């Protein structure tokens, strides 16, 4: 049976906390890292009803999207709703872990899950994040020591490309140098030009590992003064990013697409709002799970026929539609959009930790309990 620490490590691999916005509060809220975990419940909101569901099922861990606390507090007394959540979780030995904005941008994240749920293909980030900065290392070492030096660099994290590690390229040649007074050469003698069969070792490494890789290389290198280059590679886009853009397999009108979106999102009691001509033909769709008003102009500029998100306000949409070429807009309930992530995340965790019993909460925690259709006077 895995421990909480081991399960969280898998979640962090899927939804790295480093990807969270700096204002966010992600990670483990309650729980003993050494406690065993057999049952995991996924939910959007860390509310009392979800805690009661977890207790009734016997869950060891609840993974939620929304943070319980976004700001510092001085009390978690059970006299407040959030304090009661904390007390009930701890009393029943249930851990709580949050994946919020760190789960918005990556593959298997909120926006990607929503894109597939509403029927998009050729899905990609709407506003791609830059990939981790990469260095290219070029190290010259005596051929007899090349494998030792390369192995030390690999152990420090260099040479990883996607799902591969220990990647490198080696070529051989002749290096020469002359030790001067004060030198303590591993090869050759002071005052004499020395020629040595050397191997050129090339590999890449995340820039954040630069000093770790450098120290490992120097520790393994036999020379008193190792020759090496560190080259900063050009920036690249990653497969992470805000929102998603994709296409429909078959174009349809805005009215029909809005109906498809409503039917494919989880059931709720709130309303889906549509801005645009009902007969407009929709092929390219931009979207953002959760509150995505900041991406409306990006979706428009990217050539989307419609943009789907939540929590849009009157004035930004009104001003947007004043442009005759503006994309249409569909505003869906926040909870429903983000709920599409729960089965995806649950399946991803289950695939990586097969011994777990994983469940998605069936509770609708959308705070809106009903909507009243409006009427139009002609």
């Amino acid at each position: 049976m895995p421990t909480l620490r081991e399960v969280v490590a898998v979640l962090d691999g899927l939804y790295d906390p480093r990807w969270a916005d700096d204002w966010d509060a992600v990670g483990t809220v309650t729980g003993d890292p050494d406690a065993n975990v057999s049952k995991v419940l996924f939910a959007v909101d860390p509310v009392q009803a979800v805690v009661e569901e977890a207790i009734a099922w016997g869950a060891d861990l609840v993974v939620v999207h929304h943070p319980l606390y976004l700001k510092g507090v001085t009390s978690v007394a059970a006299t407040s709703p959030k304090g009661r959540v904390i007390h009930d979780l701890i009393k029943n030995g249930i851990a709580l872990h949050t994946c919020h904005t760190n789960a918005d941008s990556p593959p298997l994240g909120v926006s990607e899950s929503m894109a597939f749920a509403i029927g998009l293909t050729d899905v990609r980030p709407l506003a791609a994040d830059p990939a981790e900065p990469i260095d290219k290392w070029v190290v010259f070492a005596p051929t007899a020591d090349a494998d030792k030096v390369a192995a030390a660099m690999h152990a420090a994290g260099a040479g990883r490309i996607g799902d591969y590690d220990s990647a490198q390229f080696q070529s051989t040649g002749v290096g020469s140098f002359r030790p001067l007074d004060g030198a303590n050469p591993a090869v050759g003698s002071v005052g004499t030009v020395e020629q040595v069969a050397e191997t050129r070792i090339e590999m890449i490494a995340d820039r954040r590992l630069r000093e770790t890789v450098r120290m490992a290389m120097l520790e393994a290198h036999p020379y008193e003064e190792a020759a090496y280059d560190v080259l900063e590679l050009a920036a690249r886009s990653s497969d992470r990013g805000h929102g998603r853009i994709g296409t429909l397999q078959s174009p349809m009108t805005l009215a029909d697409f809005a109906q498809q979106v409503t039917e494919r999102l989880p059931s709720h009691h709130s309303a889906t709002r549509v801005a645009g001509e009902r007969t407009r033909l929709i092929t390219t769709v931009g979207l953002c799970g959760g509150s995505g008003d900041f991406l409306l102009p990006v979706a428009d500029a990217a050539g989307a026929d419609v943009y789907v998100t939540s929590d849009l306000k009157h004035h930004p949409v009104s001003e947007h539609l004043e442009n005759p070429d503006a994309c249409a807009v569909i505003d869906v309930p926040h909870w429903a959009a983000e709920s599409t992530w729960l089965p995806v995340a649950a399946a991803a965790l289950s695939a990586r930790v097969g011994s777990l019993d994983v469940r998605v909460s069936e509770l609708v925690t959308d705070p809106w309990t009903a909507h009243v259709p409006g009427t139009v006077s002609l």
Side-chain angles (χ1 to χ4, degrees):
M1 189 180 301
T3 64
L4 175 61
R5 179 183 287 104
E6 292 167 335
V7 175
V8 166
V10 174
L11 290 169
D12 285 351
L14 291 164
Y15 312 111
D16 195 318
R18 293 179 301 154
W19 301 335
D21 292 339
D22 55 11
W23 53 263
D24 204 2
V26 302
T28 304
V29 181
T30 66
D32 179 352
D34 295 320
N36 291 331
V37 174
S38 63
K39 292 184 175 182
V40 183
L41 179 68
F42 280 80
V44 173
D45 299 300
V47 294
Q48 187 64 35
V50 169
V51 174
E52 292 172 0
E53 180 184 14
I55 294 171
W57 182 48
D60 305 299
L61 168 63
V62 178
V63 178
V64 292
H65 183 52
H66 290 148
L68 180 64
Y69 291 106
L70 268 176
K71 298 179 180 179
V73 296
T74 58
S75 171
V76 292
T79 51
S80 70
K82 292 187 176 184
R84 170 53 59 191
V85 164
I86 291 288
H87 276 257
D88 285 352
L89 287 170
I90 294 175
K91 184 168 59 178
N92 289 276
I94 302 173
L96 178 66
H97 186 81
T98 303
C99 300
H100 192 212
T101 53
N102 54 319
D104 284 339
S105 63
L108 304 178
V110 174
S111 287
E112 185 170 285
S113 300
M114 180 181 170
F116 290 129
I118 65 176
L120 301 190
T121 61
D122 187 27
V123 174
R124 57 202 183 277
L126 179 57
D129 290 342
E132 291 283 348
I134 296 293
D135 290 334
K136 178 179 178 180
W137 286 79
V138 179
V139 179
F140 299 88
T143 298
D145 298 282
D147 289 342
K148 176 185 175 183
V149 172
M153 296 175 70
H154 289 150
R160 294 180 181 175
I161 305 175
D163 293 330
Y164 297 83
D165 67 7
S166 301
Q168 63 166 312
F169 180 82
Q170 292 189 4
S171 55
T172 57
V174 176
S176 64
F177 51 85
R178 182 172 65 183
L180 302 177
D181 290 341
N184 183 26
V187 177
S189 56
V190 172
T192 302
V193 174
E194 187 72 23
Q195 291 189 330
V196 181
E198 293 188 341
T199 295
R200 175 187 173 112
I201 306 165
E202 300 179 52
M203 63 180 73
I204 63 172
D206 288 351
R207 194 164 300 159
R208 61 186 173 84
L209 298 175
R210 181 180 290 177
E211 189 60 19
T212 302
V213 172
R214 189 180 76 88
M215 294 302 295
M217 181 271 294
L218 292 177
E219 180 69 23
H221 204 291
Y223 284 175
E224 187 177 26
E225 297 290 348
Y228 63 94
D229 299 322
V230 183
L231 310 175
E232 295 188 354
L233 299 187
R236 304 164 299 134
S237 294
S238 71
D239 56 1
R240 294 180 289 105
H242 292 298
R244 289 297 185 270
I245 190 168
T247 57
L248 295 171
Q249 288 186 329
S250 300
M252 61 182 72
T253 65
L254 175 61
D256 288 341
F257 179 63
Q259 185 64 38
Q260 176 171 301
V261 169
T262 301
E263 292 172 353
R264 294 196 178 187
L265 291 181
S267 298
H268 53 82
H269 306 297
S270 192
T272 296
R273 302 182 297 174
V274 182
E277 293 295 331
R278 292 171 52 85
T279 57
R280 177 172 184 160
L281 198 63
I282 303 299
T283 300
T284 303
V285 179
L287 62 85
C288 181
S291 302
D293 57 349
F294 67 103
L295 286 177
L296 177 55
V298 179
D300 204 26
D305 301 309
V306 64
Y307 180 58
V308 187
T309 192
S310 305
D311 305 332
L312 291 171
K313 295 181 179 180
H314 172 93
H315 293 295
V317 175
S318 176
E319 293 169 5
H320 166 75
L321 292 177
E322 286 298 303
N323 183 341
D325 299 322
C327 65
V329 178
I330 299 177
D331 184 287
V332 299
H334 190 121
W335 174 88
E338 293 181 334
S339 289
T340 60
W341 169 72
L342 301 179
V344 174
L349 178 62
S350 184
R352 289 160 177 77
V353 190
S355 59
L356 292 176
D357 188 359
V358 177
R359 176 186 290 188
V360 172
S361 174
E362 297 179 356
L363 295 175
V364 177
T365 55
D366 186 342
W368 303 107
T369 57
H371 71 278
V372 179
T375 58
V376 178
S377 299
L378 299 178

